[in-house]
Amino acid sequence: MIISARNQLKGKIESIQEGAVNAVVVLKTSGGEVISATISMSAVKELELAGGREAIAVIKSTEVMTGVGDLKISARNQLDGEILKVEDGAVNAIVTLKTNAGSLISSTISRSAVKELGLAAGVKAKAVIKSTSVMIAVE
């Protein structure tokens, strides 16, 4: 599978909480990060997802928020780490964060947000991702 989504975290499915229409799939990466994805029950069945199955959490960089400090928000996925680099564009910047477990997460955010948050290499930050923004892929 070759896709344009920058963030692809490999791991094993730890659990699946099934609902009438959607399910919450919890994937644990080899580094120990836990990623929650809310996907349809039909996708769970079509992909034959089950506990212990290897899978990939796929997240577009435009769906990743970057925060600093103690965040009290509803997003299930908050990965602590440190900013490795900030690549400035005309309007947006690409922020690369190395999580405490060693994964690289890219986020595309506005240049004004980068400035307001004081984001630069070496700054402690969090990658924040709503579970509805996480896709699950299998090979």
Side-chain angles (χ1 to χ4, degrees), residues 16-24 38-45:
I16 301 172
Q17 181 182 0
E18 296 184 3
V21 178
N22 291 325
V24 175
T38 300
I39 64 173
S40 70
M41 281 302 300
S42 61
V44 169
K45 289 181 172 104

Side-chain angles (χ1 to χ4, degrees), residues 40-94:
S40 70
M41 281 302 300
S42 61
V44 169
K45 289 181 172 104
E46 288 170 14
L47 296 172
E48 299 177 352
L49 300 181
R53 179 153 188 201
E54 291 188 0
I56 305 164
V58 179
I59 311 139
K60 291 181 60 171
S61 64
T62 53
E63 296 296 318
V64 179
M65 296 171 275
T66 301
V68 293
D70 186 27
L71 306 174
K72 294 186 185 211
I73 56 177
S74 64
R76 291 182 186 265
N77 303 302
Q78 298 184 37
L79 305 174
D80 293 317
E82 185 175 299
I83 304 293
L84 283 185
K85 63 181 175 178
V86 177
E87 299 172 66
D88 270 330
V91 176
N92 292 324
I94 297 174

Side-chain angles (χ1 to χ4, degrees), residues 63-134:
E63 296 296 318
V64 179
M65 296 171 275
T66 301
V68 293
D70 186 27
L71 306 174
K72 294 186 185 211
I73 56 177
S74 64
R76 291 182 186 265
N77 303 302
Q78 298 184 37
L79 305 174
D80 293 317
E82 185 175 299
I83 304 293
L84 283 185
K85 63 181 175 178
V86 177
E87 299 172 66
D88 270 330
V91 176
N92 292 324
I94 297 174
V95 177
T96 303
L97 178 133
K98 183 175 184 178
T99 68
N100 292 343
S103 295
L104 298 180
I105 304 288
S106 294
S107 62
T108 301
I109 62 175
S110 69
R111 290 179 65 202
S112 61
V114 169
K115 185 177 178 182
E116 288 170 20
L117 295 172
L119 300 180
V123 171
K124 299 287 184 193
K126 292 183 183 193
V128 179
I129 310 144
K130 291 180 62 171
S131 65
T132 53
S133 296
V134 179

Side-chain angles (χ1 to χ4, degrees), residues 9 14-15 25-29 31-36 76-79 101:
L9 303 172
E14 205 169 64
S15 66
V25 177
V26 177
L27 179 135
K28 189 170 189 177
T29 69
E33 295 155 326
V34 176
I35 305 291
S36 292
R76 291 182 186 265
N77 303 302
Q78 298 184 37
L79 305 174

